[in-house]
Amino acid sequence: MSQSLPMIELASASNDRIGHSYDADKGKILARLKRIEGQVRGISRMVEEDKYCIDILTQVSAVIASTRSVGMLVLEDHIRGCVMNADPDQRESTLDELNLAIERFVRSVGN
Amino acid sequence: MSQSLPMIELASASNDRIGHSYDADKGKILARLKRIEGQVRGISRMVEEDKYCIDILTQVSAVIASTRSVGMLVLEDHIRGCVMNADPDQRESTLDELNLAIERFVRSVGN
Amino acid sequence: MSQSLPMIELASASNDRIGHSYDADKGKILARLKRIEGQVRGISRMVEEDKYCIDILTQVSAVIASTRSVGMLVLEDHIRGCVMNADPDQRESTLDELNLAIERFVRSVGN
Amino acid sequence: MSQSLPMIELASASNDRIGHSYDADKGKILARLKRIEGQVRGISRMVEEDKYCIDILTQVSAVIASTRSVGMLVLEDHIRGCVMNADPDQRESTLDELNLAIERFVRSVGN
């Protein structure tokens, strides 16, 4: 994730796929991530100030919901773009990869 | 969540309860929140650099898992501290509040 | 879900789509559903016999995990079959429908 | 607990704890489990009749939501009854057990 990593290495980190499908939603996704970052910082402040546990839990739940909604958006864009337009010879590997990602996404609640 | 808010107002925001039960885990919770903040910032960078959707989804799932684990820790401390030691006359309202918080926590995956 | 419902009505209940993509996994899905039915019946028996709450919760968690795994299988088959092979003029509505289904699936944890 | 089952066996199945706290909700819990059993049987029928994947997924999501709601009810009763009234010398082990159960419950979505 370091900004200095050359493009080619990052691509190789994901099975040589370089495409991405969220261009149209890029601004929306970045704005939501910015807000989530602020929410997390807000929780740190609450903990530092010894705020009530339940109020902290409420904010934690809000962060999870916001993050999941960003994930849902990226997933939708990915299916619409990358999966539907996959090269016929990459179709199977694209579907396997998608299924793993959905499972990981659904599972994230429990790890 | 502003640092300038007087204690009394913050307390009144949570039904006049002022206690908190996570003192022993405070350092651990703050360290984890710091790491989550970095994870979210890392995702923003990946989106800005047009990284592959699936790699972004993987990081989104990791943020959800980390955040949920912080929530679990706060919840455990709350039950051990605030709930078990609730004044007899606040017992019912403390339990109602706890149940709502668990439901909200479990539900956060879906909102 | 009644066995007497005519095919055409059931089809119209889902936007005139009649296909299904889980033929190869049909036996596996039915076997898992049978086992889930038995798990649920087992929980009823435990409640009738006043078994310990935590033991019941353990079984409830097991039913949720099994049911989610069936859902994951149907979802994968659906994407591989119905979505990837959708008629070009049904592509958008198929994707919208898929996204709603994934959201409902992920959300089911919270309702 | 069933009057015919020997006390010692039931106890040994759950770490020597014998209480249960859902008596007041017993009828409600059993009715909901009965309905869930019917829902699962309905899904089997849909699969046998080759119903549309998305309609099956919708029913799968409904089963998960109903089952989770039963789990929530048992959990609330357990905290109110068994946990709050635990013997002082069983307090720590009761809390550890509760935390494991909540984690398993929350995690069930992902296994």
Side-chain angles (χ1 to χ4, degrees):
Chain A
M1 281 183 305
S2 154
Q3 277 161 316
S4 57
L5 271 182
M7 203 62 177
I8 188 71
E9 280 191 35
L10 283 155
S12 72
S14 22
N15 293 326
D16 293 332
R17 296 193 211 291
I18 343 186
H20 68 282
S21 309
Y22 49 79
D23 253 342
D25 288 323
K26 199 167 165 173
K28 201 203 266 185
I29 293 170
L30 285 170
R32 290 200 196 170
L33 287 168
K34 197 87 199 160
R35 205 181 54 206
I36 292 168
E37 209 189 308
Q39 283 179 292
V40 176
R41 214 163 20 234
I43 300 177
S44 292
R45 217 154 36 221
M46 291 173 78
V47 172
E48 275 161 11
E49 294 172 3
D50 297 329
K51 293 288 146 56
Y52 185 47
C53 323
I54 292 288
D55 293 338
I56 288 169
L57 262 177
T58 302
Q59 296 306 318
V60 163
S61 300
V63 165
I64 293 171
S66 314
T67 311
R68 187 160 292 272
S69 128
V70 168
M72 202 59 221
L73 192 53
V74 175
L75 180 62
E76 288 180 18
D77 287 343
H78 177 66
I79 296 175
R80 181 179 307 268
C82 304
V83 178
M84 297 298 280
N85 299 317
D87 278 350
D89 63 331
Q90 291 213 313
R91 196 182 134 132
E92 278 311 300
S93 61
T94 302
L95 281 172
D96 287 346
E97 189 191 52
L98 171 67
N99 292 336
L100 277 178
I102 295 180
E103 281 192 51
R104 216 161 32 220
F105 185 44
V106 171
R107 262 177 199 242
S108 59
V109 64
N111 292 314
Chain B
M1 283 184 301
S2 154
Q3 278 161 315
S4 58
L5 272 182
M7 203 63 178
I8 187 71
E9 280 191 36
L10 285 154
S12 70
S14 18
N15 293 327
D16 293 332
R17 297 195 211 288
I18 342 188
H20 68 284
S21 309
Y22 49 78
D23 252 342
D25 288 323
K26 197 167 168 174
K28 200 202 265 185
I29 293 170
L30 284 171
R32 291 200 195 172
L33 287 169
K34 196 88 199 160
R35 207 181 53 207
I36 292 168
E37 209 188 309
Q39 284 178 292
V40 176
R41 208 155 32 227
I43 300 176
S44 292
R45 215 152 41 220
M46 291 173 78
V47 172
E48 274 160 12
E49 294 172 2
D50 298 328
K51 292 289 146 56
Y52 185 46
C53 325
I54 292 289
D55 294 338
I56 289 169
L57 262 176
T58 302
Q59 297 306 318
V60 164
S61 300
V63 165
I64 293 172
S66 315
T67 310
R68 186 160 293 272
S69 129
V70 167
M72 201 60 221
L73 193 53
V74 175
L75 180 62
E76 288 180 20
D77 287 342
H78 177 66
I79 295 175
R80 182 179 306 269
C82 303
V83 177
M84 296 298 281
N85 299 317
D87 279 350
D89 63 331
Q90 292 213 311
R91 196 182 135 131
E92 278 310 300
S93 62
T94 301
L95 281 172
D96 288 346
E97 187 191 52
L98 171 67
N99 292 336
L100 277 177
I102 295 180
E103 280 192 51
R104 213 160 37 217
F105 185 44
V106 172
R107 262 176 199 243
S108 60
V109 65
N111 292 316
Chain C
M1 284 184 303
S2 154
Q3 277 161 316
S4 58
L5 271 182
M7 205 64 178
I8 187 72
E9 280 190 35
L10 284 154
S12 70
S14 21
N15 293 327
D16 293 332
R17 297 192 211 290
I18 340 188
H20 68 284
S21 308
Y22 48 79
D23 253 342
D25 287 323
K26 199 167 166 174
K28 201 202 266 185
I29 294 170
L30 285 171
R32 290 201 196 171
L33 286 169
K34 196 87 198 160
R35 206 181 53 208
I36 293 169
E37 210 189 308
Q39 284 179 290
V40 176
R41 213 163 19 232
I43 300 176
S44 292
R45 219 156 31 222
M46 291 173 78
V47 172
E48 275 161 11
E49 294 172 2
D50 298 328
K51 292 288 150 55
Y52 185 46
C53 325
I54 292 288
D55 294 338
I56 288 169
L57 261 177
T58 302
Q59 296 307 316
V60 163
S61 300
V63 165
I64 292 171
S66 314
T67 310
R68 187 161 292 272
S69 129
V70 167
M72 201 61 219
L73 192 53
V74 174
L75 180 62
E76 288 180 20
D77 288 342
H78 177 67
I79 295 174
R80 181 179 307 268
C82 304
V83 178
M84 296 298 280
N85 299 317
D87 279 351
D89 62 330
Q90 292 212 312
R91 196 182 134 132
E92 278 310 300
S93 62
T94 303
L95 281 171
D96 287 347
E97 187 191 52
L98 170 67
N99 292 336
L100 277 177
I102 295 180
E103 282 192 49
R104 212 160 35 218
F105 184 44
V106 172
R107 262 176 199 243
S108 59
V109 64
N111 292 316
Chain D
M1 303 204 177
S2 158
Q3 272 133 351
S4 57
L5 271 180
M7 208 65 169
I8 187 73
E9 280 188 33
L10 283 157
S12 70
S14 25
N15 292 327
D16 294 334
R17 296 195 210 290
I18 355 182
H20 69 282
S21 310
Y22 48 78
D23 252 343
D25 288 323
K26 199 167 167 174
K28 202 204 263 185
I29 293 171
L30 284 171
R32 290 200 195 171
L33 287 169
K34 196 87 198 161
R35 205 181 54 207
I36 292 169
E37 209 188 310
Q39 283 179 292
V40 177
R41 211 159 26 230
I43 300 177
S44 292
R45 215 153 40 219
M46 291 173 79
V47 172
E48 276 161 11
E49 294 172 2
D50 298 328
K51 293 289 145 57
Y52 185 47
C53 324
I54 292 288
D55 294 338
I56 289 169
L57 263 176
T58 302
Q59 296 306 318
V60 164
S61 300
V63 165
I64 293 171
S66 314
T67 311
R68 188 161 290 274
S69 129
V70 168
M72 201 60 221
L73 193 52
V74 175
L75 180 62
E76 288 181 19
D77 287 343
H78 177 66
I79 296 174
R80 181 179 307 269
C82 304
V83 178
M84 297 298 280
N85 299 318
D87 278 350
D89 62 332
Q90 291 213 313
R91 193 182 137 134
E92 277 310 300
S93 61
T94 302
L95 281 172
D96 288 346
E97 187 191 53
L98 171 67
N99 292 336
L100 277 178
I102 295 180
E103 280 192 52
R104 215 160 34 219
F105 184 44
V106 171
R107 263 179 198 240
S108 60
V109 65
N111 291 316

